[in-house]
Amino acid sequence: MKVLAATLVSATLLASANASADTQFVALDNSPGTELCMAFASNKPLKMQKAIKNNRVKKHQIDDKLACNNMSLAEFASVYGLNRTSKFMNLDVSTSTSIKDLAMAKKELVYISGSK
């Protein structure tokens, strides 16, 4: 039973990693909000922490005020499968299950703009 649970967890993590790997994010401008959104979209907590420090903001300020592509951070994370940075930011992201044919998946290009 433990082996089955571990296998399911591994498969879920791999699927979420593949979902975000198929998406390429491009910044629309050089504003601080867009820089923070790009760091969030990288799905790398250390990159997010560095962007927070460089922009001299606090994590709790970003949760309330930052919007990426006119979506809250939690909504943005759930749409693009950004589990690692959402966990770093202590966001409650509801999980959903879906089946995606990875062989037919196309690379998606997403332009990001942050709130000003």
Side-chain angles (χ1 to χ4, degrees):
M1 189 59 132
K2 289 182 181 180
V3 174
L4 179 62
T7 304
L8 289 174
V9 169
S10 298
T12 304
L13 292 174
L14 183 61
S16 65
N18 285 335
S20 61
D22 291 336
T23 305
Q24 181 180 359
F25 297 101
V26 178
L28 284 178
D29 56 24
N30 293 330
S31 70
T34 302
E35 180 185 345
L36 288 165
C37 287
M38 287 297 293
F40 187 78
S42 73
N43 208 22
K44 297 178 181 175
L46 290 176
K47 194 171 191 177
M48 186 67 192
Q49 185 177 17
K50 185 177 178 182
I52 289 171
K53 185 177 179 181
N54 289 343
N55 286 290
R56 297 184 180 111
V57 293
K58 305 275 187 219
K59 281 172 51 173
H60 66 86
Q61 293 171 326
I62 293 172
D63 290 344
D64 297 337
K65 297 178 183 174
L66 183 65
C68 300
N69 288 356
N70 295 323
M71 292 184 270
S72 69
L73 284 182
E75 185 180 0
F76 189 73
S78 64
V79 168
Y80 295 108
L82 305 171
N83 299 326
R84 294 178 66 207
T85 49
S86 61
K87 183 177 178 183
F88 171 75
M89 295 295 294
N90 299 324
L91 297 175
D92 182 26
V93 180
S94 59
T95 59
S96 63
T97 304
S98 65
I99 298 173
K100 183 176 182 180
D101 185 4
L102 296 176
M104 295 295 293
K106 298 178 186 174
K107 285 225 177 237
E108 183 179 2
L109 187 62
V110 177
Y111 295 96
I112 295 180
S113 65
S115 56
K116 299 184 187 221

